[in-house]
Amino acid sequence: MHIEWSTFWIQLIAFLILYVLLSKFAFGPLFGMMEKRRQLVKDQIQTAEASRKQADQLLEEQKQALQQTRKEAYEIIEQAKQTGSKQADEIVRAAGAEAARLKDEALKDIENEKNKAVAALRSQVGAMSVLIASKIIEKQIDEKSQEQLVEHYLKEVGGNV
C-alpha cells in the first residue's frame, strides 16, 4: 500500500475545514437545541415532581380534614344523644312532679269533700237529734212508742244521708 501524501494532506485539510464549518454552523445549533431540549425535559421532571409532592401534601391535608370532620360529627352525635337523654330525664322528672302535685291536690280535694260531708252529716244528725228530743219531750210516751219513734227517725236520717 502506497500513500499519496499530497492527497492525504488535501483530504486532511478538507476534513478540518468541513469540521470547522460543521462545528460553527451545524453542531453548535444542533447541540444548542439538544441542550434546550435536555433543560426542558429536566424542568418538566422537576415540575412534575413538585406537582406530585404538592398533590401528596393536599391529599394528606384532605385526609386530616376528613378525619377531623368525622371526629366533629361523632362529637355532635354524642352531644345530641346526651342532650336528648337529659331532656328525656327532665320530661320524666317534670311529669312525675306534675303527677305528684295532681295526686296531692286530689287527696286534698277528697279530704275537703269528706270534711264537708261529715260536717253536713253532723249538722243533720244534730238537727234530727234536737227534733227527736223535742218530739219526745212533747209526747211523753211509753218506752215502746219511744223505740218506734227513734227507729223511725233513724230510718229517716239514713234515707237523707
Side-chain angles (χ1 to χ4, degrees), residues 10-159:
I10 291 174
Q11 287 177 352
L12 183 62
I13 291 173
F15 177 75
L16 290 176
I17 291 173
L18 182 61
Y19 180 76
V20 169
L21 289 175
L22 284 175
S23 292
K24 186 173 185 176
F25 296 111
F27 293 146
L30 181 63
F31 288 143
M33 282 197 297
M34 289 175 67
E35 180 60 28
K36 286 181 185 176
R37 177 71 179 153
R38 187 189 66 77
Q39 190 62 37
L40 178 66
V41 169
K42 182 180 174 184
D43 291 344
Q44 287 177 344
I45 289 172
Q46 288 175 348
T47 303
E49 183 65 26
S51 295
R52 187 190 61 77
K53 285 181 182 178
Q54 186 178 10
D56 288 343
Q57 182 181 5
L58 289 174
L59 179 63
E60 186 62 33
E61 288 174 5
Q62 290 298 321
K63 284 180 182 179
Q64 289 176 357
L66 181 62
Q67 186 176 13
Q68 182 66 26
T69 302
R70 285 181 180 162
K71 182 180 177 185
E72 289 173 2
Y74 178 76
E75 289 173 357
I76 289 170
I77 289 170
E78 286 300 314
Q79 186 178 12
K81 284 180 184 178
Q82 290 175 356
T83 301
S85 177
K86 287 178 184 177
Q87 286 177 347
D89 291 344
E90 182 65 30
I91 289 170
V92 168
R93 192 170 359 96
E98 182 66 17
R101 186 186 64 79
L102 290 175
K103 180 182 173 186
D104 290 344
E105 285 182 11
L107 289 174
K108 286 179 185 177
D109 288 344
I110 290 170
E111 187 66 30
N112 287 339
E113 291 299 319
K114 177 182 152 191
N115 290 338
K116 285 180 186 177
V118 168
L121 186 60
R122 282 185 184 161
S123 172
Q124 286 180 358
V125 168
M128 288 292 187
S129 296
V130 169
L131 185 63
I132 289 173
S134 67
K135 295 268 183 178
I136 289 176
I137 292 175
E138 285 177 7
K139 287 186 173 181
Q140 288 292 330
I141 53 176
D142 62 7
E143 196 173 305
K144 188 177 179 184
S145 297
Q146 186 178 356
E147 281 182 27
Q148 288 176 350
L149 187 60
V150 167
E151 285 180 28
H152 171 70
Y153 282 118
L154 285 176
K155 285 181 186 175
E156 204 174 293
V157 168

